[in-house]
Amino acid sequence: MKYLIPIIVLTSLLILPVNLISQRADKVIAEIGSAKITESEFKIRYELSPFVSHRSKWNQDTIKYDFLLSMIAEKLFYLDAINKGLQNSEDFKFYIKPLEDALLRDYLFKEEIENKVRLSAEDISQSINNAQFKLQARIINSEDSVKIFRIHSLLKENIPLDSILLIPDFLFIPAGEFEVSLGSLKDEEVENYLFTLNPGEFTQPIRSEVGWVIFLIIDKLFTPIDLTNQKQIDDIKRIVKSRRVMIKANQYLQNLLSNKTIDINDTVFDSVFYVIYNLILERTKSNPDSMRTSYILNDYDYREIKKELGNKTLHENLFYINSHKVKVWDFLANLAFEEHRFQSKDRNIIYSKLTKIIKDFVVQQYLTFEAKRKGIDKNKNLKDELENWKVHYLAQMLRFSFLDSSRVSEEEILNYFNNEYRKDKNNLLIKMKILNLTELEEVERVLNLISSGKSFDEIVESFGKTDSLVNDKGETELLPNIYFGELGFIASKLNLNEVYGPIKRGNEYTLIMVKEKKEISDTTYVDFDSAKGYIKNYLFIKKFNSAIADQTIKLANKYGVKIYEDNLSQIKTTGIPMFVHRLLGFGGRIAGVPLLDNWFYMIDINEFKTKLLP
């Protein structure tokens, strides 16, 4: 397929002017072999990673210490992953390459767009003045310029708008209500003009994206700005700068991509489509009567897709950016990174979606190529940021390599049920609230609500049933924690009414709160046949956690760990659980920092300290 490259119109941007990792000389708070954890690295990750320690009872010193221990565990697994050469593996490259490309585009955006937008003192003054007003307006619009200019003439004769709209020629002219505040309009000049008007006044006819428009001001509300409130002033600057950045970004894309064509290898693209289409049909065959579905391809799916396509097809050229070859492998890696949701099993809809995705991918690759051409891949801030993600990815890869050795036999299941089930102190009766969220924005919004004092119970009930284990109020029954898998393990360590999360589970983020806990008594009846699957899963997680705990201590012995507790205690933090996602320049998003799992909910911290820490 050959087509003219579309110019992407950017409609919203989040400017993050602060580098994630400070470049100043930091105090070292821990050493792990040759690696170090600095104060700035700890602080930025701690502030942006919601983290609850089961030991803390919300004591901030304990939470900080346990967070550091989890960072240490992550570094230990990272060092061992490097020693094992996992950074050269196909799986690692598959998941790190699209992230690296996304960061390259983001830094290109900063250099070519964001850093070149400056606000003058006059800009700021006018923006603060405009921010003090909200305008209630009616907007009259039509593609017919003759009609719009006739309406304008009648308004100048002081004829009320409602009377004008009763004239037969104007019966179908829309005149909706519209609130104008700072940043409401894409056109800054028009917006500034509106703020000079008073109630009853109206604009000249203005040519816009929706045709010709007239704004009629109904009311003008004044709310003074506190000039001593720096956050409020900064928010005003951000609104104005974001709009200008958006305009400049669209101009940049226009200049870079205008009149460029691309020739996509149809044969290879169709091969990719058919494999993905058939896999989605297979994964959703439990609902054969409906064409609607909601499915996100997971890690296992991509392994199947790559296996089905074969090495030869994976390395076929899909298209060229100048002389640079972009292969099927690159497209699949980016597809996995962006986690697209397929909402239908209809062949044509899936094909149309993949066609749109590959067109967007072409634009992304042009931007990535341009970033490399400008040498942005050598930017130290980018390298440092990418290194933090590499630590996270490699540590997780090594951690998950223990899954195969944690399989559970039928004999182990029966033995546990007959001899250990009621003696297992970690196996409790638990009732909890569960909230599953699919979007990073939802996680951020919920955590902000919690931080502002809103009840988690109310929040969960507003979402309703988001998990198969809960009722319409988002609450489970009082059940043995083996029924909850990994959530049960975590919940058994939490205090009542503590919120924990987000926990990444497949393509969702989970928040939980424990509402009730009881020990399992001898009279608690559990049917083996109905509980067998849950016990298998419980023992699997228990073996996996035990293997990770043992390996963590072995790696600490191997590489050495030193903690500077005085430096840690001096770090000041907000103590507010937050999760911030980051919108990237030119599109895309990632977590503000790699989310840190609580590695030490499975490790005896006292044993770790006694054996390994000086």
Side-chain angles (χ1 to χ4, degrees):
M1 65 185 78
K2 182 177 288 187
Y3 63 92
L4 187 70
I5 294 193
I7 302 301
I8 299 175
V9 177
L10 303 177
T11 56
S12 64
L13 299 168
L14 177 64
I15 301 173
L16 293 179
V18 180
N19 290 324
L20 290 179
I21 301 298
S22 170
Q23 294 305 307
R24 66 178 175 81
D26 289 321
K27 291 180 181 177
V28 174
I29 58 174
E31 294 179 357
I32 309 97
S34 59
K36 293 180 174 63
I37 297 175
T38 63
E39 176 187 355
S40 65
E41 179 186 357
F42 174 87
K43 186 168 182 177
I44 191 69
R45 197 152 176 207
Y46 180 84
E47 294 284 19
L48 300 182
S49 294
F51 185 90
V52 178
S53 166
H54 62 274
R55 305 189 310 128
S56 70
K57 297 183 173 58
W58 295 99
N59 177 281
Q60 289 303 308
D61 289 336
T62 305
I63 293 177
K64 280 163 53 179
Y65 191 83
D66 288 1
F67 189 89
L68 177 60
L69 288 177
S70 287
M71 286 186 73
I72 288 169
E74 186 181 67
K75 290 275 192 188
L76 287 168
F77 274 71
Y78 161 72
L79 290 173
D80 212 47
I82 292 292
N83 277 343
K84 294 179 184 299
L86 293 186
Q87 73 275 19
N88 299 317
S89 69
E90 161 76 13
D91 282 347
F92 177 68
K93 291 176 182 177
F94 187 76
Y95 288 104
I96 202 67
K97 177 62 165 55
L99 173 63
E100 183 177 5
D101 287 354
L103 290 176
L104 274 167
R105 295 191 293 272
D106 190 51
Y107 276 76
L108 175 69
F109 181 86
K110 286 182 173 66
E111 183 174 299
E112 293 297 315
I113 308 235
E114 184 181 314
N115 293 344
K116 293 182 179 179
V117 173
R118 296 283 187 269
L119 299 182
S120 68
E122 184 181 351
D123 291 331
I124 295 169
S125 177
Q126 182 168 32
S127 301
I128 291 172
N129 179 68
N130 291 349
Q132 298 180 98
F133 294 97
K134 277 190 172 53
L135 305 177
Q136 300 296 330
R138 293 186 72 181
I139 178 170
I140 308 102
N141 71 282
S142 173
E143 289 286 354
D144 190 332
S145 62
V146 174
K147 289 183 178 180
I148 285 294
F149 276 90
R150 284 179 60 200
I151 291 172
H152 183 258
S153 296
L154 293 171
L155 286 172
K156 288 173 67 177
E157 294 175 17
N158 294 321
I159 299 175
L161 177 62
D162 287 336
S163 297
I164 294 171
L165 296 177
L166 291 175
I167 298 172
D169 282 354
F170 307 135
L171 282 175
F172 299 104
I173 298 289
E177 293 187 1
F178 185 73
E179 182 178 273
V180 182
S181 57
L182 184 69
S184 294
L185 303 182
K186 288 182 181 180
D187 192 317
E188 187 175 348
E189 185 178 353
V190 171
E191 187 177 278
N192 288 339
Y193 170 35
L194 293 181
F195 281 116
T196 67
L197 302 179
N198 294 312
E201 296 181 329
F202 48 88
T203 66
Q204 295 285 335
I206 300 168
R207 184 64 174 160
S208 75
E209 293 177 351
V210 294
W212 288 90
V213 300
I214 298 172
F215 290 91
L216 171 63
I217 306 303
I218 305 300
D219 200 0
K220 189 172 186 176
L221 307 174
F222 176 71
T223 306
I225 297 293
D226 180 2
L227 296 179
T228 65
N229 186 332
Q230 190 58 47
K231 182 181 182 303
Q232 199 170 14
I233 301 300
D234 288 343
D235 287 343
I236 291 170
K237 293 178 184 177
R238 179 185 58 77
I239 290 170
V240 177
K241 184 172 181 179
S242 292
R243 176 166 52 193
R244 294 189 183 182
V245 163
M246 179 184 69
I247 293 169
K248 189 172 184 63
N250 285 326
Q251 291 170 344
Y252 181 86
L253 287 168
Q254 182 75 41
N255 293 334
L256 180 67
L257 302 175
S258 286
N259 301 320
K260 287 191 169 63
T261 58
I262 197 75
D263 190 7
I264 293 175
N265 186 326
D266 280 339
T267 304
V268 174
F269 178 76
D270 287 346
S271 297
V272 174
F273 159 70
Y274 279 115
V275 170
I276 291 175
Y277 169 63
N278 289 328
L279 186 139
I280 291 173
L281 288 184
E282 174 65 24
R283 296 290 188 263
T284 57
K285 65 182 180 182
S286 59
N287 189 18
D289 297 328
S290 173
M291 292 306 294
R292 293 190 60 79
T293 187
S294 182
Y295 192 75
I296 298 177
L297 300 169
N298 56 39
D299 294 348
Y300 178 74
D301 294 331
Y302 282 106
R303 286 192 175 88
E304 289 292 303
I305 290 168
K306 288 188 285 185
K307 181 179 177 182
E308 182 71 21
L309 288 171
N311 196 55
K312 183 177 182 297
T313 302
L314 285 174
H315 290 88
E316 288 273 7
N317 295 330
L318 199 52
F319 57 87
Y320 287 85
I321 300 294
N322 297 336
S323 60
H324 174 69
K325 299 174 182 178
V326 181
K327 302 177 181 179
V328 170
W329 185 95
D330 299 302
F331 175 62
L332 288 177
N334 193 72
L335 196 64
F337 174 71
E338 293 186 343
E339 296 185 329
H340 291 279
R341 184 178 295 276
F342 292 88
Q343 302 281 16
S344 171
K345 294 186 284 188
D346 181 84
R347 179 186 183 280
N348 292 331
I349 292 176
I350 293 176
Y351 188 85
S352 176
K353 184 177 181 69
L354 284 174
T355 300
K356 181 183 182 306
I357 290 170
I358 198 168
K359 288 180 179 179
D360 292 342
F361 179 60
V362 169
V363 175
Q364 292 170 352
Q365 288 300 293
Y366 262 101
L367 289 165
T368 303
F369 180 84
E370 183 68 8
K372 290 180 178 178
R373 189 184 70 80
K374 289 181 172 294
I376 290 174
D377 52 333
K378 298 176 177 61
N379 183 295
K380 187 178 187 308
N381 289 339
L382 183 146
K383 286 183 175 181
D384 289 344
E385 188 173 348
L386 185 60
E387 184 63 23
N388 286 318
W389 283 97
K390 287 180 178 179
V391 169
H392 177 71
Y393 277 20
L394 286 168
Q396 292 291 357
M397 281 184 65
L398 183 58
R399 181 181 178 182
F400 293 143
S401 69
F402 287 84
L403 289 172
D404 285 340
S405 61
S406 302
R407 306 300 174 195
V408 179
S409 68
E410 295 291 320
E411 183 180 353
E412 287 175 305
I413 297 170
L414 185 60
N415 182 64
Y416 175 82
F417 182 79
N418 289 333
N419 302 313
E420 301 176 49
Y421 177 76
R422 287 179 176 79
K423 299 175 185 177
D424 188 344
K425 295 300 182 184
N426 290 318
N427 191 14
L428 304 168
L429 293 171
I430 289 178
K431 177 188 288 188
M432 59 180 158
K433 294 275 190 181
I434 300 177
L435 176 60
N436 293 330
L437 302 168
T438 57
E439 301 295 335
L440 294 173
E441 291 100 329
E442 290 181 310
V443 176
E444 183 180 359
R445 182 168 64 85
V446 168
L447 290 170
N448 286 337
L449 288 173
I450 294 170
S451 296
S452 66
K454 190 170 180 67
S455 160
F456 186 66
D457 289 295
E458 290 180 45
I459 295 170
V460 174
E461 288 183 25
S462 71
F463 279 89
K465 186 181 179 72
T466 61
D467 191 283
S468 60
L469 291 167
V470 301
N471 58 25
D472 290 339
K473 294 184 176 181
E475 188 168 276
T476 71
E477 296 180 28
L478 185 65
L479 297 169
N481 77 329
I482 63 168
Y483 284 56
F484 302 116
E486 183 184 12
L487 297 185
F489 263 97
I490 295 171
S492 68
K493 308 290 187 181
L494 298 177
N495 299 315
L496 293 181
N497 299 315
E498 276 188 351
V499 178
Y500 183 95
I503 305 159
K504 189 75 165 72
R505 298 166 68 215
N507 297 312
E508 294 183 317
Y509 301 90
T510 299
L511 297 168
I512 62 173
M513 174 193 274
V514 177
K515 301 299 294 180
E516 188 178 351
K517 288 165 67 171
K518 287 183 181 179
E519 288 189 5
I520 290 180
S521 67
D522 291 339
T523 59
T524 304
Y525 174 76
V526 176
D527 177 67
F528 175 73
D529 289 333
S530 61
K532 183 179 176 181
Y534 296 113
I535 292 174
K536 181 178 183 179
N537 189 39
Y538 173 80
L539 292 179
F540 171 77
I541 295 169
K542 192 173 183 178
K543 286 178 73 173
F544 175 71
N545 288 348
S546 178
I548 297 301
D550 291 344
Q551 185 67 11
T552 303
I553 291 176
K554 287 178 183 176
L555 294 178
N557 273 315
K558 178 178 179 180
Y559 294 103
V561 175
K562 187 174 183 180
I563 295 176
Y564 298 93
E565 295 194 26
D566 289 343
N567 290 345
L568 176 65
S569 66
Q570 291 171 19
I571 296 176
K572 303 300 181 186
T573 60
T574 63
I576 301 172
M578 287 193 300
F579 173 71
V580 175
H581 72 272
R582 172 180 170 188
L583 297 181
L584 301 171
F586 297 118
R589 63 184 180 181
I590 57 174
V593 293
L595 289 179
L596 183 67
D597 293 334
N598 187 344
W599 292 62
F600 272 78
Y601 81 80
M602 62 188 81
I603 300 170
D604 187 320
I605 290 179
N606 291 325
E607 179 186 0
F608 182 82
K609 290 173 65 176
T610 301
K611 287 184 177 180
L612 301 169
L613 298 181

